[in-house]
Amino acid sequence: MIFIPLPCQRETMADTSSTQPVFRFAPSPNGLLHLGHALSAILNHDMAKASGGRFLLRIEDIDRTRCHPQFEAAISSDLAWLGLEWEQPVRRQSDHLDLYASALQRLNDMGLVYPSVLSRGEIKAAVADAEARGNAWPRDPDGAPLYPERERDLGADARNAIVAGDKPHAWRLDMKKAVLAAGAPPLTWQETGSGPDGETGLITADPAAWGDIILSRSDAPSSYHLSVIVDDALQGITHVVRGRDLYHATAVHRLLQRLLDLPEPVYHHHRLLLGADGRKLSKSNRDTGISAFREAGRSPADIRALVL
Ligand code: GLU
């Protein structure tokens, strides 16, 4: 694995008075954009414009099984129809897998990752088994059970055997060690939007709530968490504006930024738009897709009025 140095900077809050603000909209091309994406993209675009900043588009297509070029084309056409302009070239994560591999290698060199083999089904079975015996199993902020950590303390030989073996393996962060390695001062971030319970201002990050997160898997060479922090740093993103569903993930991003000595952006989490059923909008529901509104004769101004 080639080591590519990532930009290093002291960990300080982005100071927009001396730096040109840089915003990004970072969709995954695994479906059509819906009104919630329109809100995110418009907010990023408008905040960049209002602050004399830059607006970038980043295609987060790490998961090759779910991402398709036709969705990437649809993203561009929907955003252009909305009247948004972004810088070229557009960064596509699948073009930068070597960088995410380097970041993972750095964490490996620090002794903070381990190869794991339990499949989703095996994790589910382990959790069901523990719960059947009356032991509550810890869940992450999204409600998913934490990883059983079975391979965490294996020695070098056993780890090498996993890596060389036939069973697909994923690389996971040893969360307890990683939090220790992050050291003091406590991890925080500056929130200019708000969290699910109205949290705003200086937020204390709790990455441990996520357990041993995946950083790369056999069918997707990097995780969302790893590639997002590498790209935000490399693209000089000063302001991350995104939906509130990613509020708690920010704790993981702050931890990885500290470990890899990457700069800290300001975070702004915005409200989520809900469908008629009261649930978060989803890419699989075509009715709330931006293109459905366009086809029904609505204008970009109508969309702005609907979401802002
Ligand atoms: N790619 C993520 C998504 O489509 C957004 C990532 C981010 O804004 O940090 O939900």
Side-chain angles (χ1 to χ4, degrees):
M1 217 176 275
I2 312 159
F3 172 69
I4 298 167
L6 298 168
C8 289
Q9 194 174 306
R10 287 256 71 77
E11 192 177 80
T12 50
M13 207 186 101
D15 176 2
T16 53
S17 58
S18 59
T19 327
Q20 187 185 26
V22 187
F23 293 78
R24 84 326 189 251
F25 175 55
S28 295
N30 55 10
L32 295 172
L33 297 186
H34 54 58
L35 290 182
H37 296 109
L39 172 61
S40 241
I42 291 171
L43 281 178
N44 272 288
H45 173 268
D46 290 5
M47 286 185 189
K49 214 165 175 186
S51 60
R54 300 167 55 203
F55 173 54
L56 311 182
L57 171 64
R58 183 166 76 221
I59 300 295
E60 302 212 323
D61 59 349
I62 288 299
D63 186 346
R64 304 305 289 160
T65 56
R66 299 178 61 224
C67 295
H68 296 288
Q70 77 263 25
F71 291 130
E72 188 180 327
I75 288 171
S76 298
S77 92
D78 284 344
L79 296 180
W81 177 76
L82 283 171
L84 310 186
E85 283 172 21
W86 57 94
E87 288 183 16
Q88 299 293 336
V90 169
R91 187 179 177 88
R92 193 176 293 113
Q93 290 191 322
S94 57
D95 293 337
H96 300 282
L97 301 182
D98 52 343
L99 291 177
Y100 316 131
S102 281
L104 180 63
Q105 184 63 52
R106 280 178 67 178
L107 295 169
N108 197 7
D109 293 345
M110 294 161 83
L112 301 180
V113 298
Y114 64 89
S116 66
V117 289
L118 290 192
S119 64
R120 284 198 184 91
E122 287 168 331
I123 298 171
K124 225 169 146 189
V127 172
D129 184 50
E131 288 182 338
R133 283 183 281 111
N135 303 320
W137 193 275
R139 311 259 155 180
D140 71 22
D142 285 346
L146 299 198
Y147 189 70
E149 303 175 359
R150 216 166 270 176
E151 309 89 342
R152 192 188 62 190
D153 298 319
L154 294 178
D157 288 349
R159 283 189 183 189
N160 291 340
I162 289 179
V163 174
D166 290 336
K167 202 168 175 200
H169 63 278
W171 286 93
R172 288 182 180 272
L173 188 69
D174 181 333
M175 184 56 81
K176 290 196 181 78
K177 264 195 188 167
V179 168
L180 274 178
L187 284 170
T188 56
W189 79 86
Q190 201 56 244
E191 174 68 48
T192 59
S194 58
D197 294 317
E199 307 92 327
T200 193
L202 189 67
I203 309 292
T204 302
D206 178 21
W210 290 94
D212 290 356
I213 51 160
I214 283 201
L215 295 179
S216 89
R217 49 167 29 112
S218 52
D219 58 350
S222 175
S223 70
Y224 157 65
H225 296 305
L226 190 60
S227 32
V228 88
I229 56 110
V230 167
D231 281 351
D232 282 342
L234 284 170
Q235 294 192 287
I237 304 299
T238 58
H239 292 73
V240 173
V241 178
R242 60 188 180 192
R244 201 166 280 154
D245 49 341
L246 291 170
Y247 173 84
H248 288 294
T250 310
V252 171
H253 301 170
R254 291 292 302 115
L255 173 64
L256 293 173
Q257 285 159 354
R258 167 84 60 88
L259 294 171
L260 293 169
D261 201 12
L262 301 177
E264 173 189 359
V266 170
Y267 287 89
H268 183 105
H269 292 93
H270 61 73
R271 75 186 196 287
L272 298 176
L273 301 184
L274 305 179
D277 55 1
R279 298 173 65 156
K280 198 176 101 171
L281 298 186
S282 117
K283 282 178 176 155
S284 54
N285 181 353
R286 295 188 71 88
D287 296 351
T288 51
I290 297 173
S291 45
F293 283 84
R294 174 167 42 166
E295 282 153 24
R298 308 294 284 270
S299 70
D302 292 338
I303 304 290
R304 278 187 171 264
L306 267 174
V307 302
L308 286 179

